[in-house]
Amino acid sequence: IGLVSRMKILHLGTDEKFINAARKSYEIAFPDQNYFLILGAEDKSSLKNISFEDGLSTLSQKNCFKADRKEQIEDLIRESKVLVFHGLGPMHRAVFETYPEISNKIFVWSVYGIEVYGLYKVKKSTFAPKTFFKFLFWPFLKEAVNDFLGRNRDQTASMKILKQADYVSILYQEEVDLYRKYELIKKEAKRIAFTYYPADFIIERDAPFVDGKNILLGNSASYSNNHLDAFHHLKKQNLDEIGQVICPLNYGDLQYAKLIAQEGKTVLGDQFDPLLDFMALKDYQRLLQSCSIALMYHYRQQAVGNVLNLIYLGAKVYLSKKNSLYWFLKRIGIKVFSIEEDLVASNASAFAPLSESEMKDNRSKILKEISLDQVVKELKTNLSQHL
């Protein structure tokens, strides 16, 4: 295999857009030392979300147990110094369980989120009451029975793998503290302050600040947005001075999107504007410019890139105090607001936009704390010693 002699970091991922961003950061930190193994892909031409640039190679295969591939994968694992799992799904588990020599490598778990919040022991704490009882009560009851009977074998296998990670690669410590609380990682596991989307990748440096009266509600058609609870929370507020409540539902569960679109109209009337169709990025960015308020009713870390972008644009962002992202942003000095304490009927300025000085201060902190330079520095500081 051409690059194996130079490769020191072996990345295992699937055809997800996050890989493009990871390649940029890792290549800046460790030029020509990265090899990306894309699980579940026929070949490069079958990739929908990943675009490989010149200077990097990839081994793509359909099935990690395929006879003519197994020896190649063994070579890659044997030659690597560091193994990076981007997320943790069925194909990652299959590789881990098939090649025991992985346990001799420095193992970096680069967090996607679903591998944590898909676990029963964690997932049950991510939904607000109305959302839970409307959509999730019976599925959770079934899962509780399966968990009691020891039938959640895939989840057990995932937790076993997470326990072996030497590094947890995620932006902020507050989220790692949550993993320790649920005993998902070993005590000696270290954090690499890594994000797939540093400010340099998601932010237009000279973008104007928001200028409009609209509210952005949520980021996708997923249960963890807790839309129903957000609707009834908003209904208690004075909405006379705002424009539209814009709700992105064009990504995720389409059936759920239709139900939420109907419920939003019922609760909020004509002020509710569900986005159900695809929008070009430029059009979406223009829409964000009209939203001086953003309400993200996630109990879990989610849509981190979106939230950082909104803060950079000058939006007044409301997050739940149950969301670890809220506490991270507070810690680094970002002016962010709590749904539980600040978005209340008694707060007459709940929908007042940030002042220009507050917008500028938030923007400068985003650029300082979540820059590409910081991400590269973190990678080098933690992994150089192993290469």
Side-chain angles (χ1 to χ4, degrees), residues 204-211 289 312-314 363:
E204 185 182 340
R205 288 289 180 122
D206 58 351
F209 287 123
V210 292
D211 182 20
Q289 294 285 348
Y312 186 85
L313 291 175
R363 178 172 285 197

Side-chain angles (χ1 to χ4, degrees), residues 90-337:
M91 287 181 285
H92 297 83
R93 289 198 302 268
V95 172
F96 199 94
E97 292 164 359
T98 305
Y99 303 99
E101 54 268 40
I102 285 179
S103 61
N104 298 322
K105 306 296 178 180
I106 296 299
F107 174 25
V108 179
W109 166 36
S110 195
V111 181
Y112 274 13
I114 185 61
E115 65 271 40
V116 172
Y117 293 99
L119 298 173
Y120 170 73
K121 65 188 296 185
V122 183
K123 181 169 59 176
K124 59 186 179 182
S125 66
T126 63
F127 304 108
K130 290 184 182 298
T131 296
F132 179 81
F133 287 107
K134 174 76 173 181
F135 297 111
L136 300 164
F137 179 79
W138 292 111
F140 261 82
L141 184 61
K142 180 180 178 180
E143 194 162 3
V145 172
N146 287 334
D147 189 68
F148 178 76
L149 296 176
R151 293 175 180 169
N152 291 334
R153 294 186 181 89
D154 288 346
Q155 295 194 18
T156 301
S158 291
M159 288 189 285
K160 182 179 178 182
I161 293 172
L162 296 181
K163 277 278 191 180
Q164 299 188 54
D166 299 296
Y167 290 92
V168 180
S169 180
I170 193 166
L171 183 59
Y172 49 93
Q173 184 62 39
E174 286 81 355
E175 187 71 4
V176 177
D177 292 342
L178 183 69
Y179 302 162
R180 294 196 194 284
K181 171 187 171 183
Y182 284 106
E183 299 181 332
L184 298 179
I185 56 177
K186 59 187 179 184
K187 292 181 180 180
E188 58 270 30
K190 299 178 181 178
R191 177 179 66 99
I192 298 175
F194 175 83
T195 174
Y196 284 98
Y197 292 110
D200 309 66
F201 292 176
I202 63 172
I203 284 166
E204 185 182 340
R205 288 289 180 122
D206 58 351
F209 287 123
V210 292
D211 182 20
K213 295 184 177 182
N214 295 331
I215 294 178
L216 184 74
L217 174 59
N219 77 301
S220 64
S222 64
Y223 296 119
S224 52
N225 279 268
N226 291 313
H227 289 104
L228 294 184
D229 302 82
F231 293 157
H232 289 275
H233 200 96
L234 281 172
K235 191 178 181 181
K236 297 176 183 178
Q237 315 302 316
N238 179 7
L239 302 180
D240 293 341
E241 297 184 3
I242 70 163
Q244 297 295 103
V245 177
I246 298 171
C247 187
L249 297 170
N250 47 6
Y251 174 78
D253 186 325
L254 296 181
Q255 186 60 37
Y256 173 76
K258 292 178 182 177
L259 293 171
I260 291 303
Q262 294 170 1
E263 184 69 16
K265 286 289 187 183
T266 299
V267 177
L268 300 175
D270 291 338
Q271 278 187 290
F272 184 68
D273 184 9
L275 302 182
L276 295 168
D277 299 319
F278 170 78
M279 291 185 71
L281 182 60
K282 286 185 178 180
D283 293 334
Y284 186 66
Q285 283 293 110
R286 191 157 46 244
L287 190 65
L288 292 184
Q289 294 285 348
S290 74
C291 299
S292 60
I293 308 292
L295 172 57
M296 299 290 176
Y297 212 153
H298 307 117
Y299 281 3
R300 50 162 283 193
Q301 65 91 11
Q302 185 172 331
V304 175
N306 282 7
V307 170
L308 298 179
N309 187 29
L310 285 162
I311 291 172
Y312 186 85
L313 291 175
K316 184 176 189 176
V317 175
Y318 282 93
L319 298 171
S320 171
K321 293 178 72 175
K322 294 184 179 182
N323 186 344
S324 62
L325 178 59
Y326 170 82
W327 296 106
F328 163 65
L329 294 172
K330 293 285 283 186
R331 175 166 59 81
I332 65 173
I334 298 291
K335 194 169 184 62
V336 65
F337 297 82

